[in-house]
Amino acid sequence: MSCSSGCSTDKTSDGGKPAGCGSSGSCATDSCNKLTVFDWLSDMQLPQGDKPFDILEVRFKNSRKEFYKNTISQKFQVGDVVAVEAASGHDIGVVSLAGELVRIQMKKKEVNYDSTEVRKIYRKARPADIDKWKEAQALEVETMYKARTLAITHGLAMKISDVEYQGDKSKAIFYYTADARVDFRELIKSMASQFGVRVEMKQIGARQEASRLGGIGSCGRELCCSTWLTDFRTVNTSAARYQQLSLNPLKLAGQCGKLKCCLNYELDSYLDAVKDFPQTDNLKLQTKKGRAFHQKTDIFKRQMWFSYEGNAQTFVQLTVDRVKQIVDWNKQGIQPEELVDEVKIKTPVQPMKHPDFEMAAGGSLNRFDKKKPQGGNQQRNNPNRRRNNNQPQKGRPSK
């Protein structure tokens, strides 16, 4: 998704900045780029004598981000299109973060300042660099379809989901998914001869594929993995069991075919709430009326439902404290007469009385309510009232 103005770069733009974006490529709408970061330290001034952090975070296609060192002592802003060092040649990217927040990001991702992963920034991208970069981006879709055809021709069980060209059109990265190990040596030779670029193959998982492609989830919003989620934690079916969800794979699976990441969002709250509950595995309550089996639980209302053996259609609602008391009685050999639904024996809820609102200047707002007329309507609706058909009606001649 992108803003309506479009963030395309124009040849006439100064320094290669996007022409359609008024904030130099850093829109406040947060919809132009994936995994954008709000720099909450941008308005803070450094102590006197301190120099700005000289490493920038540069974003490439989709969510790929890397750190680059500013060795030319030139001032860069978020949104600047820059030419950076690559393994061979150069690449074109957009500055996504600058300043002290980059130091925090590097510490979070465990990247050292003197690491070989931190390459150099050459300069701001020139119009010729940006034109070549655009030409490379225009080839990506067609290249992906041709690469899929080549993979089928070689009989490889793999799916090529995305292609990313380097900014100087000298290299292309092919992202693929596969269930088993794939020998693609012959495929690389065919791709290199047909596309005329150096080929790099990267295998990604199903979740990473959904993150790169994006989409709309069942909640109606963009996928979390393609907007803000940066790490993919393991999701088990136990997360659905703790939250009392039906184990329906069609509803629990996301677009990647795996269990939805959002099953883990509220899992900790459910785990904390369920600590005080008795274990529901093989939980049976012994009564003189018969054995009662556990059916379902409402964790936050602290209520549990049981049904007698042979009468599974009738549920009895109990509180957690009552269930724990009956469990302790059963351990002592004591059996209650029967399970009593504690919700039904509570005092009935009194009907809510509508308050009489008063105005600040005096009087009541209820005086504006229309009142039903009395007298005439009651006589008109009275079933005992009979019309005497023998009496002449007013306005009609009598026979």
Side-chain angles (χ1 to χ4, degrees):
M1 298 184 66
S2 61
C3 53
S4 59
S5 61
C7 292
S8 59
T9 308
D10 188 33
K11 293 182 180 180
T12 59
S13 60
D14 185 17
K17 293 182 181 179
C21 188
S23 56
S24 301
S26 177
C27 299
T29 57
D30 196 24
S31 61
C32 293
N33 307 322
K34 293 182 180 180
L35 301 178
T36 53
V37 178
F38 175 71
D39 190 359
W40 50 277
L41 295 176
S42 59
D43 296 335
M44 298 182 65
Q45 295 182 355
L46 294 173
Q48 188 174 4
D50 288 0
K51 295 181 178 180
F53 195 56
D54 60 347
I55 293 182
L56 305 175
E57 184 187 71
V58 180
R59 179 186 58 82
F60 300 94
K61 185 179 180 181
N62 290 325
S63 58
R64 186 170 71 92
K65 295 180 179 179
E66 295 181 11
F67 299 103
Y68 291 89
K69 187 175 295 185
N70 182 10
T71 58
I72 59 176
S73 300
Q74 185 176 357
K75 187 176 181 180
F76 295 96
Q77 296 179 353
V78 175
D80 289 340
V81 182
V82 293
V84 298
E85 180 186 5
S88 61
H90 70 275
D91 203 353
I92 304 296
V94 180
V95 178
S96 58
L97 201 62
E100 290 299 317
L101 200 58
V102 181
R103 193 195 305 270
I104 300 175
Q105 290 290 90
M106 292 182 64
K107 184 177 180 181
K108 178 181 177 182
K109 297 181 179 180
E110 298 180 356
V111 178
N112 296 326
Y113 181 85
D114 299 325
S115 175
T116 56
E117 299 179 9
V118 182
R119 295 189 173 97
K120 301 177 182 178
I121 293 181
Y122 289 146
R123 62 184 183 277
K124 286 187 178 181
R126 299 167 183 167
D129 298 331
I130 296 174
D131 291 341
K132 199 170 186 180
W133 181 39
K134 284 185 177 181
E135 293 175 2
Q137 290 178 337
L139 296 172
E140 291 176 351
V141 177
E142 184 181 357
T143 302
M144 181 182 65
Y145 290 144
K146 291 182 178 179
R148 289 179 178 178
T149 304
L150 291 175
I152 295 174
T153 304
H154 287 77
L156 300 178
M158 59 185 297
K159 176 187 174 184
I160 298 176
S161 59
D162 197 11
V163 179
E164 180 182 355
Y165 267 90
Q166 193 168 286
D168 56 358
K169 292 176 62 176
S170 63
K171 177 184 174 182
I173 304 175
F174 293 83
Y175 296 91
Y176 73 95
T177 56
D179 296 332
R181 185 178 179 275
V182 180
D183 186 6
F184 44 73
R185 287 176 291 183
E186 296 297 328
L187 177 63
I188 291 179
K189 295 179 182 178
S190 301
M191 288 180 176
S193 61
Q194 182 169 353
F195 304 134
V197 294
R198 292 183 299 105
V199 177
E200 180 181 351
M201 305 293 292
K202 280 190 176 182
Q203 184 176 4
I204 58 177
R207 298 182 188 273
Q208 286 79 8
E209 180 185 15
S211 172
R212 295 186 68 86
L213 300 180
I216 304 297
S218 58
C219 58
R221 305 184 64 179
E222 291 187 62
L223 299 180
C224 297
C225 56
S226 63
T227 51
W228 63 271
L229 193 62
T230 56
D231 58 338
F232 300 98
R233 299 182 181 180
T234 304
V235 185
N236 300 322
T237 54
S238 59
R241 292 192 180 96
Y242 279 118
Q243 300 177 55
Q244 309 295 321
L245 298 177
S246 175
L247 299 181
N248 187 352
L250 296 177
K251 294 183 178 181
L252 297 181
Q255 294 188 8
C256 57
K258 307 292 184 180
L259 292 176
K260 294 179 181 179
C261 297
C262 55
L263 291 175
N264 280 343
Y265 294 168
E266 298 179 355
L267 181 59
D268 293 339
S269 300
Y270 279 87
L271 291 176
D272 292 339
V274 82
K275 287 180 179 179
D276 193 36
F277 281 62
Q279 295 293 333
T280 57
D281 298 338
N282 299 324
L283 178 60
K284 302 180 184 65
L285 301 181
Q286 303 290 340
T287 64
K288 295 181 179 179
K289 187 178 180 179
R291 287 193 302 178
F293 296 87
H294 173 259
Q295 295 292 348
K296 64 177 183 177
T297 303
D298 191 328
I299 295 178
F300 294 104
K301 290 184 179 180
R302 296 182 58 82
Q303 295 173 357
M304 304 177 70
W305 283 262
F306 290 82
S307 63
Y308 285 104
E309 186 177 10
N311 188 13
Q313 303 298 327
T314 304
F315 286 9
V316 180
Q317 187 174 354
L318 303 175
T319 61
V320 175
D321 297 333
R322 180 62 175 171
V323 173
K324 293 167 70 174
Q325 183 183 25
I326 297 176
V327 171
D328 293 338
W329 286 350
N330 292 159
K331 290 180 180 179
Q332 300 174 10
I334 303 173
Q335 296 183 1
E337 292 291 336
E338 61 178 355
L339 300 181
V340 180
D341 198 323
E342 298 186 357
V343 177
K344 293 182 179 180
I345 64 176
K346 289 182 179 179
T347 56
V349 179
Q350 299 294 334
M352 185 179 64
K353 296 182 179 179
H354 296 284
D356 188 8
F357 298 99
E358 294 184 359
M359 300 176 63
S364 175
L365 291 176
N366 295 339
R367 61 191 177 91
F368 296 106
D369 296 341
K370 293 183 179 180
K371 298 181 180 180
K372 295 182 180 180
Q374 298 180 357
N377 290 341
Q378 292 180 356
Q379 275 189 353
R380 191 179 297 112
N381 297 329
N382 189 1
N384 297 325
R385 181 174 176 268
R386 296 289 185 269
R387 176 180 293 177
N388 190 358
N389 295 327
N390 297 328
Q391 295 181 359
Q393 296 184 4
K394 187 176 183 180
R396 291 187 181 179
S398 58
K399 295 182 180 179

